Amino acid sequence: MMNTPLRIAGLLEHAEKWHADTEIVSRLAEGGLHRTTYAGLGRRSRQLANALQRLGISSGNRVGTLAWNTHRHLELYYAVSGSAAVCHTINPRLFAEQLVYIINHAEDRVLFFDLTFLPLVEKLAPSCPTVETWVLMTDRAHMPEATTLPDLRCYEDLLAAENNEFEWPLFDENTASSLCYTSGTTDQPKGVLYSHRSTLLHSFAAGLPDCFNCSARDVILPVVPMFHVNAWGIPYLAPMLGCKLVLPGPGLDAASLYELFETEGVTFTAGVPTIWFGLLTFMREKQLRFSTLRQMIVGGASCPPALLRAFDEELGVTIRHAWGMTETSPLGTVCTLKPQQLRLSPDEQFAIQTKQGRVIFGVDMQIVNDEGRALPHDGVAFGDLLVRGPFIVADYFGTEPGQLTPDGWFRTGDVATIDAAGFMQITDRSKDVIKSGGEWISSIELENLAVGHPSVAEAAVIGVPHPKWSERPLLVVVRKPGQEISQEELLAYYDGKVARWWVPEAVEFVNQLPHTATGKLLKTQLRKDFDGYQW
Ligand code: AMP
C-alpha cells in the first residue's frame, strides 16, 4: 500500500477538488452573514499559509486563536496545521488569569482574535511576552481607531497581500496539529496536543453511521465551539464528507440559532445541554417546529432525560447522547441503539437513550475499582472509567510523562457503569461522587431526577460532611420563574425512584448555580458556597 501520511491539509485538498461548490456560511462577529465554498476556503487558507510564513511561523510553532465559529477560524485551522504549525484554540470563556497562563504555557507566537475579544486581548497582552504579532480577524473597515496593542494587524489585509499558491508540505502524520487546554476547575489548565494522525482517525470514526451519521447530503451547524476541542471534530469531518457547513459565529442565542437552522436548511447539529435547553424553551414559547433538522447530538455534560424526550417526542428530532473529553479528541461514546434494543418497549428504549452510549471504533474502555481491578459490565457496578486508543491523550503538553496506568490506560476522572450490551453511563466525576456510609451515591442521577420535576429549572447535588454518614447529598435547586415548591414536595418526588438512602438530606433554593467557562456545573464553587453547612 502507498504510505501516504494522514494530514489535515489532505481534508482540504479533498473538499476543494470534490466538493468545490459546497457552501460554508458564517455569521460574523462584525454582523451579517458571509458565504464561501470549499474552493474559497482552499484559496484563502493558502493565502493565510503564505502570510504565516511571512510572519516567521514555522513547523511546530504555536499560533493562538480566540475566535467564534466562522470561516476565518476555519481558514486558521487549515492554514496553521496544514503548514505544520500548531493551531492553539483558546477558550475565551476561561478566566483572564487562566488565559494568560495558557498563552504563556503554549508560548504562542501569534494571536488571532475576533473583534468581540479586542478589550479582553488588550487586557491580557502586557502579560503575554511570547506573542510577537496580534491579528484582529476582521477587515480594514472594522479596525479600531485606537488600541493599546502594539502594531495590531488586520486579518483581511494580511490575506490580501498574499497569492493563493502554496504547496502544503508533506511530513510525518504524527506531527502535532492543534492544541487545546482543559477547562481546569481545580488545577491549572492542562494542554492536550493532537496530531494529524489522531485528528484524521477521529474524523473517520466521527463520520460513522453509529456516531454522527453524516454524509455529503447533510448541512451541519456546529454549536459546539471551535475554541474548545475542535468543535468535536466537525471542522474536519465536514470537508471529509463534503457537507455544507453553517457556522453560527457569536450568535448562540436560541433565536439566532433557530433562524440559521431554518434559513440554511440545517440537518445535523451538535451542542451542550444548556444550549438545547434554551432552544427548546424558545421553540415552545413561540410554538415553532424544525423543517429540516433530522438529528442532533447532545454531550459535554450529562443530558437530563426530560430534554432528550422533548426533542425526540415533541420536536421529532433524533437526539443522541454522547460522551467525551478534551483528552479523547473528544468523541468517546455515542448512544445509538443496537437492533435487539429496538424491539424493547418505548420506555425501555428511552432508559437506554439516557446513557452516554457505547464506544466508537478507536476507543476502548473499562471500569475499575479503587484497587484498579476491572468491574463487571452489569449496568450496576460503578467505578473509575479508563479509556485507551489512537486519539486518546498519552501525556499532557509540556509535562512530565507518566499520566497513564502501568498498562496504558488513561484515567478519565469520570465514574461510570457499563451494561451487558456495552452502554456506558456516567454516574459522576470522581471528585463529585457522594460517599455516604461507605457507599457511593451518584450526584448526576439525583440531579437528573430533580430537573424532571416541572417546577425545577436547574439542580445540583453535592456531598456535605455529615456526623454519622461521613457525607450526605444536599440538593441545590433553581426554581422555574413563578413556581413555588417546597423542600418536602421535592424530596417526596424521589420516592420510589431511587433507594431511600440516596434521597437528598435537604434542599436549598438559590437564584442561580455557578458554572465553569464551558457551561458545566462548577461544583468546586458550590462546595465552597455551602462550606460549613449545618444539616
Ligand atoms: P471537557 O474536557 O471540558 O470537554 O470535559 C470533559 C468532561 O465532561 C468529561 O470527563 C465528563 O465529566 C463531562 N462530560 C462530557 N460529556 C458528558 C456526558 N454526555 N454526560 C456526562 N458528563 C459528560
Side-chain angles (χ1 to χ4, degrees), residues 91 180-184 192 194 228-229 232 272-273 298-303 320-328 330 333 354-357 385 410 412-415 424-430 432 444 448 516 518 520:
N91 184 345
C180 178
Y181 282 72
T182 60
S183 13
V192 179
Y194 308 100
H228 188 56
V229 219
W232 298 358
V272 294
V298 58
S302 179
C303 179
R320 284 176 299 147
H321 201 181
W323 167 89
M325 54 200 310
T326 310
E327 291 88 336
T328 63
T333 65
T354 62
K355 300 189 176 196
Q356 278 71 10
L385 178 67
F410 173 73
T412 63
D414 285 324
V415 176
M424 183 273 283
Q425 182 161 32
I426 301 278
T427 57
D428 251 313
R429 284 299 288 170
S430 53
D432 297 335
I444 293 183
N448 282 344
T516 66
T518 46
K520 292 173 203 192

CSV table of all heavy atoms in Angstrom, one decimal, residues 91 180-184 192 194 228-229 232 272-273 298-303 320-328 330 333 354-357 385 410 412-415 424-430 432 444 448 516 518 520, ligand 1:
chain,number,residue,atom,x,y,z
A,91,ASN,N,-10.1,29.1,24.7
A,91,ASN,CA,-11.5,29.3,25.1
A,91,ASN,C,-11.6,30.6,25.8
A,91,ASN,O,-11.2,30.8,26.9
A,91,ASN,CB,-11.8,28.1,26.1
A,91,ASN,CG,-13.2,28.1,26.5
A,91,ASN,OD1,-13.9,29.1,26.3
A,91,ASN,ND2,-13.7,27.0,27.1
A,180,CYS,N,-5.3,22.1,22.7
A,180,CYS,CA,-6.5,22.6,23.4
A,180,CYS,C,-6.2,22.4,24.9
A,180,CYS,O,-5.8,21.3,25.3
A,180,CYS,CB,-7.7,21.9,22.9
A,180,CYS,SG,-9.2,22.5,23.8
A,181,TYR,N,-6.5,23.4,25.7
A,181,TYR,CA,-6.4,23.2,27.2
A,181,TYR,C,-7.7,22.8,27.8
A,181,TYR,O,-8.7,23.3,27.4
A,181,TYR,CB,-5.8,24.5,27.8
A,181,TYR,CG,-4.3,24.6,27.6
A,181,TYR,CD1,-3.8,24.9,26.3
A,181,TYR,CD2,-3.4,24.4,28.6
A,181,TYR,CE1,-2.4,25.0,26.1
A,181,TYR,CE2,-2.0,24.5,28.4
A,181,TYR,CZ,-1.6,24.8,27.1
A,181,TYR,OH,-0.2,25.0,26.9
A,182,THR,N,-7.6,21.9,28.8
A,182,THR,CA,-8.8,21.6,29.5
A,182,THR,C,-9.3,22.8,30.4
A,182,THR,O,-8.5,23.7,30.7
A,182,THR,CB,-8.5,20.4,30.5
A,182,THR,OG1,-7.5,20.9,31.4
A,182,THR,CG2,-8.0,19.2,29.8
A,183,SER,N,-10.6,22.7,30.8
A,183,SER,CA,-11.1,23.9,31.5
A,183,SER,C,-10.5,24.1,32.9
A,183,SER,O,-10.5,25.2,33.4
A,183,SER,CB,-12.6,23.9,31.5
A,183,SER,OG,-13.1,22.7,31.1
A,184,GLY,N,-10.0,23.0,33.5
A,184,GLY,CA,-9.3,23.1,34.8
A,184,GLY,C,-10.1,23.8,35.9
A,184,GLY,O,-9.8,25.0,36.2
A,192,VAL,N,-3.7,19.5,25.7
A,192,VAL,CA,-3.8,18.3,25.0
A,192,VAL,C,-3.4,18.6,23.6
A,192,VAL,O,-4.0,19.4,22.9
A,192,VAL,CB,-5.2,17.7,25.0
A,192,VAL,CG1,-5.2,16.4,24.2
A,192,VAL,CG2,-5.6,17.4,26.5
A,194,TYR,N,-2.9,17.5,19.9
A,194,TYR,CA,-3.4,16.5,18.9
A,194,TYR,C,-2.4,16.4,17.8
A,194,TYR,O,-1.7,17.3,17.5
A,194,TYR,CB,-4.8,16.9,18.4
A,194,TYR,CG,-5.8,17.2,19.4
A,194,TYR,CD1,-6.1,18.5,19.8
A,194,TYR,CD2,-6.4,16.2,20.1
A,194,TYR,CE1,-7.0,18.8,20.8
A,194,TYR,CE2,-7.4,16.5,21.1
A,194,TYR,CZ,-7.6,17.8,21.5
A,194,TYR,OH,-8.5,18.1,22.5
A,228,HIS,N,-13.0,25.1,21.6
A,228,HIS,CA,-12.9,24.1,22.6
A,228,HIS,C,-13.0,22.7,21.9
A,228,HIS,O,-14.0,22.3,21.4
A,228,HIS,CB,-14.0,24.2,23.7
A,228,HIS,CG,-13.7,23.3,24.8
A,228,HIS,ND1,-12.6,23.3,25.6
A,228,HIS,CD2,-14.5,22.3,25.4
A,228,HIS,CE1,-12.7,22.3,26.5
A,228,HIS,NE2,-13.8,21.8,26.4
A,229,VAL,N,-11.9,21.9,22.1
A,229,VAL,CA,-11.8,20.5,21.5
A,229,VAL,C,-12.3,20.5,20.0
A,229,VAL,O,-13.0,19.6,19.6
A,229,VAL,CB,-12.6,19.5,22.2
A,229,VAL,CG1,-11.7,18.2,22.2
A,229,VAL,CG2,-13.0,19.8,23.6
A,232,TRP,N,-15.7,19.3,18.5
A,232,TRP,CA,-16.0,17.9,18.4
A,232,TRP,C,-15.6,17.3,17.0
A,232,TRP,O,-16.2,16.3,16.6
A,232,TRP,CB,-17.5,17.6,18.7
A,232,TRP,CG,-17.9,18.0,20.1
A,232,TRP,CD1,-17.1,18.5,21.1
A,232,TRP,CD2,-19.2,17.9,20.6
A,232,TRP,NE1,-17.9,18.8,22.2
A,232,TRP,CE2,-19.1,18.4,22.0
A,232,TRP,CE3,-20.4,17.4,20.2
A,232,TRP,CZ2,-20.3,18.4,22.8
A,232,TRP,CZ3,-21.5,17.5,21.0
A,232,TRP,CH2,-21.4,18.0,22.3
A,272,VAL,N,-24.1,21.4,23.7
A,272,VAL,CA,-24.2,21.0,25.1
A,272,VAL,C,-25.7,21.2,25.6
A,272,VAL,O,-26.4,21.9,24.9
A,272,VAL,CB,-23.2,21.9,26.0
A,272,VAL,CG1,-21.8,21.5,25.7
A,272,VAL,CG2,-23.5,23.3,25.8
A,273,PRO,N,-26.0,20.5,26.6
A,273,PRO,CA,-27.4,20.6,27.1
A,273,PRO,C,-28.0,22.0,27.3
A,273,PRO,O,-29.1,22.3,27.0
A,273,PRO,CB,-27.4,19.8,28.4
A,273,PRO,CG,-26.2,18.9,28.3
A,273,PRO,CD,-25.2,19.6,27.5
A,298,VAL,N,-26.2,15.6,21.7
A,298,VAL,CA,-26.0,16.4,23.0
A,298,VAL,C,-24.9,15.7,23.8
A,298,VAL,O,-24.9,14.5,23.9
A,298,VAL,CB,-27.4,16.5,23.7
A,298,VAL,CG1,-28.0,15.1,24.0
A,298,VAL,CG2,-27.2,17.3,25.0
A,299,GLY,N,-24.0,16.5,24.3
A,299,GLY,CA,-22.9,16.0,25.1
A,299,GLY,C,-22.2,17.1,25.8
A,299,GLY,O,-22.6,18.2,25.8
A,300,GLY,N,-21.0,16.7,26.4
A,300,GLY,CA,-20.2,17.7,27.1
A,300,GLY,C,-20.6,17.8,28.5
A,300,GLY,O,-19.9,18.2,29.4
A,301,ALA,N,-21.9,17.4,28.9
A,301,ALA,CA,-22.3,17.4,30.2
A,301,ALA,C,-23.5,16.4,30.2
A,301,ALA,O,-24.1,16.2,29.1
A,301,ALA,CB,-22.8,18.7,30.7
A,302,SER,N,-23.9,15.9,31.3
A,302,SER,CA,-25.0,14.9,31.4
A,302,SER,C,-26.3,15.6,30.9
A,302,SER,O,-26.6,16.7,31.3
A,302,SER,CB,-25.1,14.5,32.8
A,302,SER,OG,-26.2,13.6,32.9
A,303,CYS,N,-27.0,14.9,30.0
A,303,CYS,CA,-28.2,15.5,29.5
A,303,CYS,C,-29.4,15.0,30.3
A,303,CYS,O,-29.7,13.8,30.3
A,303,CYS,CB,-28.4,15.1,28.0
A,303,CYS,SG,-29.9,15.7,27.3
A,320,ARG,N,-29.2,12.1,20.1
A,320,ARG,CA,-28.4,11.1,20.7
A,320,ARG,C,-27.4,11.7,21.7
A,320,ARG,O,-26.9,12.8,21.4
A,320,ARG,CB,-27.7,10.3,19.6
A,320,ARG,CG,-28.7,9.3,19.0
A,320,ARG,CD,-28.0,8.5,17.8
A,320,ARG,NE,-27.6,9.4,16.8
A,320,ARG,CZ,-26.5,9.2,16.0
A,320,ARG,NH1,-25.8,8.1,16.2
A,320,ARG,NH2,-26.2,10.1,15.1
A,321,HIS,N,-27.2,11.0,22.8
A,321,HIS,CA,-26.4,11.4,23.8
A,321,HIS,C,-24.9,11.0,23.5
A,321,HIS,O,-24.7,9.9,23.1
A,321,HIS,CB,-26.9,10.8,25.1
A,321,HIS,CG,-26.5,11.4,26.4
A,321,HIS,ND1,-26.8,10.9,27.6
A,321,HIS,CD2,-25.8,12.5,26.6
A,321,HIS,CE1,-26.3,11.7,28.6
A,321,HIS,NE2,-25.7,12.7,28.0
A,322,ALA,N,-23.9,11.8,23.8
A,322,ALA,CA,-22.5,11.4,23.5
A,322,ALA,C,-21.7,11.9,24.7
A,322,ALA,O,-22.0,12.8,25.4
A,322,ALA,CB,-22.0,12.1,22.2
A,323,TRP,N,-20.6,11.1,24.9
A,323,TRP,CA,-19.7,11.5,26.0
A,323,TRP,C,-18.3,11.6,25.4
A,323,TRP,O,-17.9,10.9,24.4
A,323,TRP,CB,-19.7,10.4,27.0
A,323,TRP,CG,-18.5,10.5,28.0
A,323,TRP,CD1,-18.5,11.2,29.1
A,323,TRP,CD2,-17.2,9.9,27.8
A,323,TRP,NE1,-17.2,11.1,29.7
A,323,TRP,CE2,-16.4,10.3,28.9
A,323,TRP,CE3,-16.6,9.1,26.9
A,323,TRP,CZ2,-15.1,9.9,29.1
A,323,TRP,CZ3,-15.3,8.7,27.0
A,323,TRP,CH2,-14.5,9.1,28.2
A,324,GLY,N,-17.5,12.5,25.9
A,324,GLY,CA,-16.1,12.6,25.5
A,324,GLY,C,-15.5,13.7,26.4
A,324,GLY,O,-16.1,14.3,27.2
A,325,MET,N,-14.2,13.9,26.1
A,325,MET,CA,-13.5,15.0,26.8
A,325,MET,C,-12.3,15.5,26.0
A,325,MET,O,-12.0,14.9,25.0
A,325,MET,CB,-13.0,14.4,28.2
A,325,MET,CG,-12.2,13.1,28.1
A,325,MET,SD,-12.1,12.2,29.7
A,325,MET,CE,-11.6,13.5,30.8
A,326,THR,N,-11.7,16.6,26.4
A,326,THR,CA,-10.6,17.2,25.6
A,326,THR,C,-9.6,16.1,25.4
A,326,THR,O,-9.0,16.1,24.3
A,326,THR,CB,-10.0,18.3,26.5
A,326,THR,OG1,-11.1,19.2,26.9
A,326,THR,CG2,-9.0,19.2,25.7
A,327,GLU,N,-9.4,15.3,26.3
A,327,GLU,CA,-8.3,14.3,26.2
A,327,GLU,C,-8.6,13.1,25.3
A,327,GLU,O,-7.8,12.3,25.0
A,327,GLU,CB,-8.0,13.7,27.6
A,327,GLU,CG,-7.4,14.6,28.6
A,327,GLU,CD,-8.4,15.5,29.4
A,327,GLU,OE1,-9.5,15.7,28.9
A,327,GLU,OE2,-8.0,15.9,30.5
A,328,THR,N,-9.9,13.1,24.8
A,328,THR,CA,-10.3,12.0,23.9
A,328,THR,C,-10.7,12.5,22.5
A,328,THR,O,-11.3,11.8,21.7
A,328,THR,CB,-11.5,11.1,24.5
A,328,THR,OG1,-12.6,12.0,24.6
A,328,THR,CG2,-11.1,10.6,25.8
A,330,PRO,N,-12.9,14.8,20.8
A,330,PRO,CA,-13.3,14.4,22.1
A,330,PRO,C,-14.2,13.1,22.1
A,330,PRO,O,-14.5,12.6,23.2
A,330,PRO,CB,-14.1,15.6,22.6
A,330,PRO,CG,-14.8,16.0,21.4
A,330,PRO,CD,-13.9,15.7,20.2
A,333,THR,N,-17.9,8.0,23.3
A,333,THR,CA,-19.1,7.1,23.2
A,333,THR,C,-20.3,7.9,22.6
A,333,THR,O,-20.4,9.1,22.8
A,333,THR,CB,-19.6,6.5,24.5
A,333,THR,OG1,-20.0,7.6,25.4
A,333,THR,CG2,-18.5,5.8,25.2
A,354,THR,N,-30.8,7.5,27.7
A,354,THR,CA,-30.3,8.5,28.7
A,354,THR,C,-28.9,8.2,29.0
A,354,THR,O,-28.2,9.0,29.6
A,354,THR,CB,-31.2,8.5,30.0
A,354,THR,OG1,-31.0,7.2,30.6
A,354,THR,CG2,-32.6,8.8,29.7
A,355,LYS,N,-28.4,7.0,28.7
A,355,LYS,CA,-27.0,6.6,29.0
A,355,LYS,C,-26.1,7.4,28.0
A,355,LYS,O,-26.5,7.8,26.9
A,355,LYS,CB,-26.8,5.1,28.9
A,355,LYS,CG,-27.6,4.3,29.8
A,355,LYS,CD,-27.3,2.9,29.9
A,355,LYS,CE,-28.1,2.2,30.9
A,355,LYS,NZ,-27.6,0.9,31.3
A,356,GLN,N,-24.8,7.4,28.3
A,356,GLN,CA,-23.8,8.1,27.4
A,356,GLN,C,-23.5,7.2,26.2
A,356,GLN,O,-22.9,7.8,25.2
A,356,GLN,CB,-22.6,8.5,28.2
A,356,GLN,CG,-22.8,9.8,29.0
A,356,GLN,CD,-23.7,9.7,30.2
A,356,GLN,OE1,-24.0,8.6,30.6
A,356,GLN,NE2,-24.0,10.8,30.8
A,357,GLY,N,-23.7,5.9,26.2
A,357,GLY,CA,-23.6,5.1,25.0
A,357,GLY,C,-22.4,4.2,24.9
A,357,GLY,O,-21.7,4.0,25.9
A,385,LEU,N,-13.7,5.2,35.2
A,385,LEU,CA,-13.7,4.9,33.8
A,385,LEU,C,-12.3,5.2,33.2
A,385,LEU,O,-11.7,6.3,33.3
A,385,LEU,CB,-14.7,5.8,33.1
A,385,LEU,CG,-14.9,5.7,31.6
A,385,LEU,CD1,-15.5,4.3,31.2
A,385,LEU,CD2,-15.8,6.8,31.1
A,410,PHE,N,-5.8,5.6,30.1
A,410,PHE,CA,-6.0,7.0,30.6
A,410,PHE,C,-7.1,7.0,31.6
A,410,PHE,O,-8.2,6.5,31.3
A,410,PHE,CB,-6.2,7.9,29.4
A,410,PHE,CG,-6.6,9.3,29.9
A,410,PHE,CD1,-5.6,10.1,30.4
A,410,PHE,CD2,-7.9,9.8,29.8
A,410,PHE,CE1,-5.9,11.4,30.8
A,410,PHE,CE2,-8.2,11.1,30.3
A,410,PHE,CZ,-7.2,11.9,30.7
A,412,THR,N,-10.0,8.8,33.2
A,412,THR,CA,-10.9,9.9,32.7
A,412,THR,C,-11.3,10.8,33.9
A,412,THR,O,-11.6,12.0,33.6
A,412,THR,CB,-12.2,9.4,32.1
A,412,THR,OG1,-12.9,8.7,33.0
A,412,THR,CG2,-11.9,8.5,30.9
A,413,GLY,N,-11.3,10.3,35.1
A,413,GLY,CA,-11.8,11.1,36.2
A,413,GLY,C,-13.3,11.0,36.3
A,413,GLY,O,-13.9,11.6,37.1
A,414,ASP,N,-13.9,10.2,35.4
A,414,ASP,CA,-15.3,10.0,35.4
A,414,ASP,C,-15.6,8.7,36.1
A,414,ASP,O,-14.8,7.8,36.0
A,414,ASP,CB,-15.9,10.0,34.0
A,414,ASP,CG,-16.0,11.4,33.4
A,414,ASP,OD1,-16.3,12.3,34.2
A,414,ASP,OD2,-15.8,11.6,32.2
A,415,VAL,N,-16.8,8.6,36.7
A,415,VAL,CA,-17.2,7.3,37.3
A,415,VAL,C,-18.4,6.8,36.5
A,415,VAL,O,-19.3,7.6,36.2
A,415,VAL,CB,-17.6,7.5,38.8
A,415,VAL,CG1,-18.1,6.3,39.5
A,415,VAL,CG2,-16.3,8.0,39.6
A,424,MET,N,-22.3,2.6,28.3
A,424,MET,CA,-21.7,3.3,29.4
A,424,MET,C,-22.6,4.4,30.0
A,424,MET,O,-23.3,5.1,29.2
A,424,MET,CB,-20.4,3.8,29.0
A,424,MET,CG,-19.5,4.5,30.1
A,424,MET,SD,-19.9,6.2,30.3
A,424,MET,CE,-19.1,7.0,29.0
A,425,GLN,N,-22.7,4.5,31.3
A,425,GLN,CA,-23.4,5.6,31.9
A,425,GLN,C,-22.6,6.3,32.9
A,425,GLN,O,-22.1,5.6,33.9
A,425,GLN,CB,-24.7,5.1,32.5
A,425,GLN,CG,-25.6,6.2,33.1
A,425,GLN,CD,-27.0,5.8,33.3
A,425,GLN,OE1,-27.3,4.7,33.6
A,425,GLN,NE2,-27.9,6.8,33.2
A,426,ILE,N,-22.4,7.6,32.7
A,426,ILE,CA,-21.6,8.3,33.7
A,426,ILE,C,-22.5,8.5,35.0
A,426,ILE,O,-23.6,9.0,34.9
A,426,ILE,CB,-21.3,9.7,33.2
A,426,ILE,CG1,-20.5,9.7,31.9
A,426,ILE,CG2,-20.6,10.6,34.2
A,426,ILE,CD1,-19.0,9.4,32.0
A,427,THR,N,-21.9,8.2,36.1
A,427,THR,CA,-22.7,8.4,37.3
A,427,THR,C,-22.1,9.7,38.1
A,427,THR,O,-22.8,10.3,38.9
A,427,THR,CB,-22.7,7.2,38.3
A,427,THR,OG1,-21.3,6.9,38.6
A,427,THR,CG2,-23.3,6.0,37.6
A,428,ASP,N,-20.9,10.0,37.8
A,428,ASP,CA,-20.3,11.2,38.4
A,428,ASP,C,-18.9,11.5,37.9
A,428,ASP,O,-18.3,10.7,37.2
A,428,ASP,CB,-20.1,10.9,39.9
A,428,ASP,CG,-21.1,11.7,40.7
A,428,ASP,OD1,-21.1,12.9,40.5
A,428,ASP,OD2,-21.7,11.2,41.6
A,429,ARG,N,-18.4,12.7,38.3
A,429,ARG,CA,-17.0,12.9,38.2
A,429,ARG,C,-16.5,12.3,39.5
A,429,ARG,O,-17.1,12.3,40.5
A,429,ARG,CB,-16.7,14.5,38.3
A,429,ARG,CG,-16.9,15.3,37.1
A,429,ARG,CD,-16.0,14.8,35.9
A,429,ARG,NE,-14.6,15.2,36.1
A,429,ARG,CZ,-13.7,14.7,35.2
A,429,ARG,NH1,-14.0,13.9,34.3
A,429,ARG,NH2,-12.4,15.1,35.4
A,430,SER,N,-15.2,11.7,39.4
A,430,SER,CA,-14.8,11.0,40.7
A,430,SER,C,-14.7,12.0,41.8
A,430,SER,O,-15.0,11.6,43.0
A,430,SER,CB,-13.4,10.4,40.4
A,430,SER,OG,-12.5,11.3,39.9
A,432,ASP,N,-16.9,14.3,42.5
A,432,ASP,CA,-18.2,14.7,42.9
A,432,ASP,C,-19.0,13.6,43.5
A,432,ASP,O,-20.1,13.8,44.0
A,432,ASP,CB,-19.0,15.2,41.7
A,432,ASP,CG,-18.3,16.5,41.1
A,432,ASP,OD1,-17.6,17.2,41.9
A,432,ASP,OD2,-18.5,16.8,39.9
A,444,ILE,N,-25.2,12.8,39.8
A,444,ILE,CA,-25.8,13.1,38.5
A,444,ILE,C,-27.2,12.5,38.4
A,444,ILE,O,-28.2,13.1,37.9
A,444,ILE,CB,-25.0,12.6,37.3
A,444,ILE,CG1,-23.7,13.4,37.2
A,444,ILE,CG2,-25.7,12.6,36.0
A,444,ILE,CD1,-22.7,13.0,36.1
A,448,ASN,N,-30.6,14.6,37.7
A,448,ASN,CA,-31.4,14.3,36.5
A,448,ASN,C,-32.9,14.2,37.0
A,448,ASN,O,-33.8,14.6,36.3
A,448,ASN,CB,-31.0,13.1,35.8
A,448,ASN,CG,-29.8,13.4,34.9
A,448,ASN,OD1,-29.5,14.5,34.6
A,448,ASN,ND2,-29.1,12.3,34.5
A,516,THR,N,-18.8,26.5,35.0
A,516,THR,CA,-17.5,26.7,34.5
A,516,THR,C,-17.6,27.5,33.2
A,516,THR,O,-18.6,27.7,32.7
A,516,THR,CB,-16.8,25.3,34.2
A,516,THR,OG1,-17.5,24.8,33.0
A,516,THR,CG2,-16.8,24.4,35.3
A,518,THR,N,-17.0,26.5,30.4
A,518,THR,CA,-17.7,25.7,29.3
A,518,THR,C,-19.1,25.3,29.7
A,518,THR,O,-19.6,24.4,29.1
A,518,THR,CB,-16.8,24.5,29.0
A,518,THR,OG1,-16.4,23.8,30.2
A,518,THR,CG2,-15.6,24.9,28.2
A,520,LYS,N,-20.4,23.9,32.4
A,520,LYS,CA,-20.7,22.8,33.3
A,520,LYS,C,-20.9,23.3,34.7
A,520,LYS,O,-20.4,24.4,35.1
A,520,LYS,CB,-19.5,21.8,33.3
A,520,LYS,CG,-19.4,21.2,31.9
A,520,LYS,CD,-18.2,20.3,31.8
A,520,LYS,CE,-18.0,20.2,30.3
A,520,LYS,NZ,-17.1,19.3,29.8
B,1,AMP,P1,-14.1,18.7,28.7
B,1,AMP,O1,-12.7,18.1,28.6
B,1,AMP,O2,-14.1,20.1,29.1
B,1,AMP,O3,-14.8,18.5,27.4
B,1,AMP,O4,-14.9,17.9,29.8
B,1,AMP,C1,-15.0,16.5,29.8
B,1,AMP,C2,-15.9,16.1,30.9
B,1,AMP,O5,-17.2,16.5,30.7
B,1,AMP,C3,-15.9,14.6,31.0
B,1,AMP,O6,-14.9,14.0,31.6
B,1,AMP,C4,-17.3,14.4,31.7
B,1,AMP,O7,-17.1,14.6,33.1
B,1,AMP,C5,-18.1,15.5,31.2
B,1,AMP,N1,-19.0,15.0,30.1
B,1,AMP,C6,-18.8,15.1,28.8
B,1,AMP,N2,-19.9,14.6,28.2
B,1,AMP,C7,-20.7,14.1,29.1
B,1,AMP,C8,-22.0,13.5,29.1
B,1,AMP,N3,-22.6,13.2,28.0
B,1,AMP,N4,-22.5,13.2,30.3
B,1,AMP,C9,-21.9,13.4,31.4
B,1,AMP,N5,-20.8,14.1,31.5
B,1,AMP,C10,-20.1,14.4,30.4
